[in-house]
Amino acid sequence: MTAGESHGEALVACLSGVPAGLKIEQAFLDRELWRRQQGYGRGGRMKIERDTAHILSGVRHGFTMGSPISVLLENKDWKNWQESLPVEEGDANKHKRVASPRPGHADLAGALKYNFPEARYVLERASARESAARVAIGAIAKLFLGELGIHVLSHVISVGAAAIDREIPWQQIAELHGRNEVLLNCADAEAEQRMKTEVDQALKNGDSVGGVFEVVGHCVPPGLGTYAQWDERLDARLAAALMSLQAVKAVEIGSGITAAASPGSAVHDEISYAKSASFAGFTRSRNNAGGIEGGVSNGEEIRVRGYLKPISTLRRPLQSVDFATREPVKAAYERSDVCVVPAAGVAAEAMVALTLAGCGLEKFGGDSMGETVRNFRGYLEQLRGY
Ligand SMILES: Cc1cc2nc3c(=O)[nH]c(=O)nc-3n(C[C@H](O)[C@H](O)[C@H](O)COP(=O)(O)O)c2cc1C
């Protein structure tokens, strides 16, 4: 669960169910937050803020206690908003109205739903600033998965019309993750330059640009999720987790989109056996399934993609209507990002990590990490002896 407004005092996230005894590395949480703030095409806000995760509860002496973990992320810009967005009534003349709804944002639908005369309160919560809180607790899920040897990372597949056309192996994605400078988080340098040109074009035209990221779950054992109940399927849970991110409008599992137009023989991943191979020894010639069959992880890498619509705040705004007068006007403009595909990928990693950690805890259980890891190793043993 998360709470907080984009220009409020802080964001808060709460995560319960993490077993006791998980080592929490503050530097790891902060680096994940830093990664979400990177990428070519971000707005001015990313330059004024450097997020840090202030852990309020659930962790003592560097380890989780099994109790709910709450994390606070200060909004460094709050000092400039205290008068226009106060908790108390304040001075109405200092409020910052969002007078005309932006097509593509939550402004109009939200104002109608909550019966607001303008869209300030809507964008304060609908804004993807909220995803920073998810990244903070997603980092804890990543630390948990790391104890099971599972890792989750992302990379960018396309920005606008510029795309890579080959599968990027895990090793290259891991190398990207180690970089201290992020352009568009694309593993292919030539494609990344083409992506940069797309962003430059959007910047020049007062426009915005979307794209596609891929999240990869590495070393996920077979058996997470189940076909036994529709809402317990791993693919369904991952799709909901990614779709819940602001601006994600489609989710693809493996090569799901091209698969719909291909013959079965070109899609399904043939099965072989090599005793030395990981988990139960079954291997695949390729991974079009994205590591999930029948709603269950099959032991291959989990590969899920999120398709982002372009940012809806435009420096050259689209047509809209003034909330007060109903007269035609241009949509409101407020300092904004132009391209967020790499950042959305990082937020999506958090969502995938939270989902896999949830599935892992359902399968392996445990109130302490010792118990969870012992149960996990027992299952690996069972797979080896299959
Ligand atoms: C990391 C990230 C940053 C974003 N930054 C902005 C922004 O600066 N300005 C904006 O108008 N939309 C931004 N968006 C997109 C909006 O949050 C999104 O368009 C809005 O929530 C409506 O889309 P929805 O219908 O998917 O929720 C961002 C999205 C993500 C994932």
Side-chain angles (χ1 to χ4, degrees), residues 157 165-167 212 214-215 235 251-269 286-293 298 301-307:
I157 299 276
D165 54 6
R166 61 187 173 91
E167 184 173 309
V212 182
E214 181 174 69
V215 183
D235 45 6
V251 178
E252 180 181 22
I253 311 275
S255 64
I257 289 173
T258 48
S262 312
S265 56
V267 172
H268 304 302
D269 311 322
R286 60 190 174 208
N287 186 17
N288 284 333
I292 306 173
E293 288 168 308
N298 66 7
E301 274 176 354
I302 302 288
R303 292 214 173 218
V304 287
R305 293 176 176 191
Y307 288 65

Side-chain angles (χ1 to χ4, degrees), residues 133-155:
R134 305 199 215 183
V135 170
I137 50 173
I140 296 172
K142 281 187 169 191
L143 290 172
F144 169 80
L145 292 170
E147 295 291 315
L148 309 184
I150 299 169
H151 297 279
V152 178
L153 288 175
S154 70
H155 66 117

Side-chain angles (χ1 to χ4, degrees), residues 223-251:
L224 297 191
T226 174
Y227 46 78
Q229 206 57 255
W230 62 271
D231 57 347
E232 294 174 21
R233 294 177 62 104
L234 182 57
D235 45 6
R237 290 170 73 160
L238 287 172
L242 256 58
M243 192 66 103
S244 76
L245 283 167
Q246 297 84 351
V248 170
K249 292 298 125 196
V251 178

Side-chain angles (χ1 to χ4, degrees), residues 9-351:
E9 188 170 354
L11 296 168
V12 183
C14 190
L15 180 65
S16 60
V18 180
L22 174 67
K23 190 168 184 344
I24 298 297
E25 294 159 42
Q26 178 73 42
F28 179 72
L29 267 62
D30 289 344
R31 181 165 167 93
E32 291 294 283
L33 290 168
W34 172 83
R35 291 179 62 230
R36 195 202 70 95
Q37 295 186 290
Q38 302 309 301
Y40 190 66
R42 303 305 301 279
R45 183 165 191 179
M46 294 308 130
K47 297 189 184 82
I48 56 171
E49 298 198 24
R50 173 78 202 260
D51 283 328
T52 53
H54 180 93
I55 297 176
L56 298 172
S57 71
V59 181
R60 297 293 146 186
H61 307 123
F63 290 88
T64 57
M65 301 188 294
S67 46
I69 301 169
S70 52
V71 186
L72 182 138
L73 279 75
E74 217 182 293
N75 282 332
K76 305 263 163 46
D77 208 14
W78 168 238
K79 54 182 179 304
N80 301 320
W81 284 82
Q82 278 184 39
E83 290 197 321
S84 45
L85 208 58
V87 172
E88 63 281 8
E89 206 167 336
D91 178 353
N93 294 321
K94 294 188 170 150
H95 296 182
K96 290 187 182 157
R97 294 177 71 246
V98 178
S100 50
R102 292 159 297 172
H105 222 299
D107 301 351
L108 180 57
L112 293 172
K113 175 176 169 67
Y114 290 98
N115 200 23
F116 297 140
E118 47 94 17
R120 166 56 59 198
Y121 298 156
V122 178
L123 81 83
E124 285 299 326
R125 184 61 188 160
S127 152
R129 171 79 187 131
E130 181 269 344
S131 64
R134 305 199 215 183
V135 170
I137 50 173
I140 296 172
K142 281 187 169 191
L143 290 172
F144 169 80
L145 292 170
E147 295 291 315
L148 309 184
I150 299 169
H151 297 279
V152 178
L153 288 175
S154 70
H155 66 117
V156 170
I157 299 276
S158 75
V159 171
I164 51 168
D165 54 6
R166 61 187 173 91
E167 184 173 309
I168 304 294
W170 172 259
Q171 197 48 43
Q172 280 182 37
I173 302 171
E175 280 163 23
L176 262 184
H177 178 240
R179 285 190 197 164
N180 288 325
E181 274 183 36
V182 179
L183 187 61
L184 286 152
N185 202 33
C186 177
D188 183 312
E190 181 274 327
E192 194 169 49
Q193 282 308 313
R194 283 189 284 117
M195 291 175 183
K196 181 173 177 291
T197 307
E198 293 277 323
V199 181
D200 284 333
Q201 204 63 31
L203 279 165
K204 198 169 119 219
N205 297 336
D207 215 323
S208 63
V209 67
V212 182
F213 60 77
E214 181 174 69
V215 183
V216 182
H218 189 64
C219 286
V220 178
L224 297 191
T226 174
Y227 46 78
Q229 206 57 255
W230 62 271
D231 57 347
E232 294 174 21
R233 294 177 62 104
L234 182 57
D235 45 6
R237 290 170 73 160
L238 287 172
L242 256 58
M243 192 66 103
S244 76
L245 283 167
Q246 297 84 351
V248 170
K249 292 298 125 196
V251 178
E252 180 181 22
I253 311 275
S255 64
I257 289 173
T258 48
S262 312
S265 56
V267 172
H268 304 302
D269 311 322
E270 288 185 309
I271 302 171
S272 306
Y273 182 78
K275 199 169 174 35
S276 60
S278 54
F279 304 120
F282 295 96
T283 64
R284 305 292 183 130
S285 52
R286 60 190 174 208
N287 186 17
N288 284 333
I292 306 173
E293 288 168 308
V296 185
S297 62
N298 66 7
E300 299 299 304
E301 274 176 354
I302 302 288
R303 292 214 173 218
V304 287
R305 293 176 176 191
Y307 288 65
L308 280 183
K309 70 181 177 188
I311 296 293
S312 42
T313 307
L314 303 180
R315 199 162 41 77
R316 264 195 211 161
L318 295 174
Q319 198 56 44
S320 184
V321 170
D322 188 285
F323 273 116
T325 65
R326 306 288 201 259
E327 291 297 323
V329 286
K330 292 293 181 192
Y333 177 75
E334 201 162 279
R335 186 181 55 194
S336 175
D337 299 323
V338 165
C339 171
V340 296
V341 191
V346 176
E349 289 173 31
M351 295 312 293

